[in-house]
Amino acid sequence: MAGTKNRTYRFTFGPWNISTGADPFGPAVRKEVAFAAKIREYKKLGFDGVQMHDDDVVEADLDPSATERGAAKVKKILDSEGLFCEFIAPRLWEHPKTIDGGYTSNGPAERKYALDRSRRAIDIARVMGCRDLVLWLAREGTYIREAKDPITSVGRIVDAVNAFLEYDRHIRILGEMKPNEPMDQAYLPTPGHFMGLCYRTAEPSRVGVLIESAHSILAGLDPSDDMAYTLWHDKLWSVHLNDQNGLKYDQDKVFGSVDLRRAFNTVWVLERGGYDGCIGLDVKAMRTTRAADQTKHLANSRAMFLRLLELVRSVDDARVEAFRAERDYEGLEMYILEHLLGG
Ligand code: 3MF
Ligand code: MG
């Protein structure tokens, strides 16, 4: 796409990306870093904004005025660092009331909790000066398919989105879809599923997606194709770039660290598709990483994006078109591989 070559990108990540290294088989290996100290790292690492869960900002389940006061304090901390808040995501997968899911739980009191908590997350977003609410529907699925009614469940998710659109006339809702983990199977496993649903909501123009590379890979899909599909619909509003080595647990590896060409294609689609959202990274440090190096994976992922961006921008379009015109995809492939190898 013409006219995009001077575009600068804004980089974001969530404070959970600086982590203790605990995994399901072993405890923390690094000390928890205090929130304010994490925030001080952002600019040093070349980042512009912060992605946040509701309870990254303020403890869950406080009353409305305590919630507002707490959020205002955090807004000041971000302001003093020159950072913006990109989105708020209600963390509906840790609370005892959300063991069976949030919006699709079989319990009416639990479903009400999920809706109320999400509305509180919208209140927090307002105070933080951001207009995006991200829904990672972590537990909206099952371990055994007989546990819930699947058709009712889809309707409940639509009803929840509609409730949020009505609650705040400016907020945008972004679905972040993932096929499995923590659940065996999710009701809306891919961005395409959420896209279908968003056209059935009360206000489709305020419903879109965040696409995470690893989540597409886990669904057996190519992240750049998922992104292209939603860009065509003007609905790609945020991304979580990372990488994933095959179909196993969600790895959140450094962007481009597993499949350089797949990452190159991702940057190609974002750049040429005129993507104008933030470049969000959702990456984990290895458990073996020493505390002194616990932000390297973030700096490295950002550096990989920028290196790949240079490569995307220096592709010779005329050559690509000539290969296409000749249907010489063998030649085109070798041209791309040599370009990636610096030749
Ligand atoms: C899980 C995720 C989540 C979301 C986050 C913000 C904890 O695989 O990707 O990270 O990105 O909740 O939406
Ligand atoms: Mg993510």
Side-chain angles (χ1 to χ4, degrees):
M1 188 175 281
T4 57
K5 295 211 169 178
N6 297 319
R7 195 142 54 93
T8 56
Y9 287 91
R10 292 167 304 159
F11 292 89
T12 59
F13 69 88
W16 66 89
N17 290 116
I18 302 176
S19 65
T20 63
D23 70 16
F25 304 98
V29 289
R30 297 179 291 269
K31 285 205 186 85
E32 178 65 39
V33 177
F35 176 75
K38 286 185 183 177
I39 295 300
R40 283 196 294 275
E41 293 296 313
Y42 276 72
K43 283 278 159 171
K44 284 190 241 166
L45 294 167
F47 285 78
D48 310 288
V50 186
Q51 307 182 331
M52 300 185 102
H53 293 121
D54 53 352
D55 59 359
D56 289 322
V57 181
V58 55
E59 189 189 323
D61 305 332
L62 296 178
D63 66 54
S65 69
T67 302
E68 193 162 315
R69 277 198 309 277
K73 258 194 217 156
V74 173
K75 168 90 167 79
K76 264 198 189 146
I77 299 177
L78 262 53
D79 285 350
S80 70
E81 289 289 324
L83 297 166
F84 65 89
C85 175
E86 185 196 348
F87 67 66
I88 300 293
R91 186 159 11 211
L92 291 180
W93 50 93
E94 288 187 359
H95 196 276
K97 286 211 166 99
T98 60
I99 289 174
D100 191 29
Y103 316 131
T104 66
S105 172
N106 280 328
E110 284 72 18
R111 291 199 300 276
K112 183 176 180 313
Y113 174 78
L115 292 171
D116 287 345
R117 176 148 172 191
S118 306
R119 282 187 280 254
R120 217 169 310 125
I122 294 175
D123 296 340
I124 294 171
R126 261 190 230 126
V127 178
M128 298 300 289
C130 76
R131 65 164 184 152
D132 285 352
L133 187 80
V134 167
L135 303 179
W136 170 43
L137 301 180
R139 297 197 190 276
E140 313 302 355
T142 58
Y143 300 112
I144 58 164
R145 267 319 193 213
E146 301 82 1
K148 295 178 188 173
D149 184 274
I151 300 174
T152 304
S153 295
V154 175
R156 283 180 171 157
I157 296 170
V158 179
D159 291 347
V161 172
N162 282 339
F164 310 146
L165 291 171
E166 192 187 325
Y167 182 67
D168 185 301
R169 292 280 160 204
H170 300 287
I171 202 86
R172 299 192 307 179
I173 313 293
L174 284 67
E176 177 181 354
M177 296 304 119
K178 181 178 181 183
N180 59 279
E181 202 199 29
M183 306 312 290
D184 179 35
Q185 299 197 92
Y187 284 127
L188 303 177
T190 70
H193 286 83
F194 195 78
M195 292 281 295
L197 179 147
C198 83
Y199 287 111
R200 291 295 305 273
T201 63
E203 218 180 310
S205 65
R206 289 199 285 134
V207 188
V209 296
L210 176 157
I211 294 183
E212 170 159 330
S213 323
H215 296 178
S216 293
I217 298 164
L218 284 170
L221 299 171
D222 183 87
S224 73
D225 277 349
D226 268 353
M227 290 176 193
Y229 179 71
T230 56
L231 277 167
W232 186 85
H233 289 267
D234 262 333
K235 291 212 173 288
L236 183 62
W237 298 341
S238 188
V239 292
H240 271 171
L241 301 185
N242 55 18
D243 216 340
Q244 171 73 27
N245 204 4
L247 302 184
K248 49 181 99 173
Y249 63 94
D250 183 10
Q251 297 187 299
D252 296 335
K253 288 166 85 77
V254 162
F255 180 54
S257 63
V258 176
D259 189 332
L260 210 48
R261 188 168 171 194
R262 184 168 60 194
F264 167 78
N265 282 314
T266 300
V267 179
W268 173 308
V269 162
L270 292 174
E271 167 77 358
R272 294 183 176 220
Y275 172 71
D276 61 2
C278 295
I279 299 300
L281 298 166
D282 200 357
V283 286
K284 251 190 220 102
M286 296 175 221
R287 193 161 187 266
T288 43
T289 302
R290 294 180 204 285
D293 296 329
Q294 65 188 322
T295 57
K296 265 192 179 165
H297 62 303
L298 289 157
N300 291 348
S301 294
R302 178 180 175 277
M304 285 301 297
F305 179 88
L306 291 170
R307 288 288 296 275
L308 289 167
L309 184 60
E310 274 173 36
L311 287 175
V312 165
R313 287 180 174 172
S314 58
V315 163
D316 182 343
D317 288 339
R319 286 195 69 184
V320 172
E321 285 312 321
F323 284 124
R324 286 178 178 176
E326 290 299 315
R327 211 178 68 202
D328 180 6
Y329 302 150
E330 304 289 352
L332 176 57
E333 173 157 85
M334 203 53 196
Y335 168 63
I336 295 294
L337 290 176
E338 278 175 357
H339 193 65
L340 284 173
L341 290 167

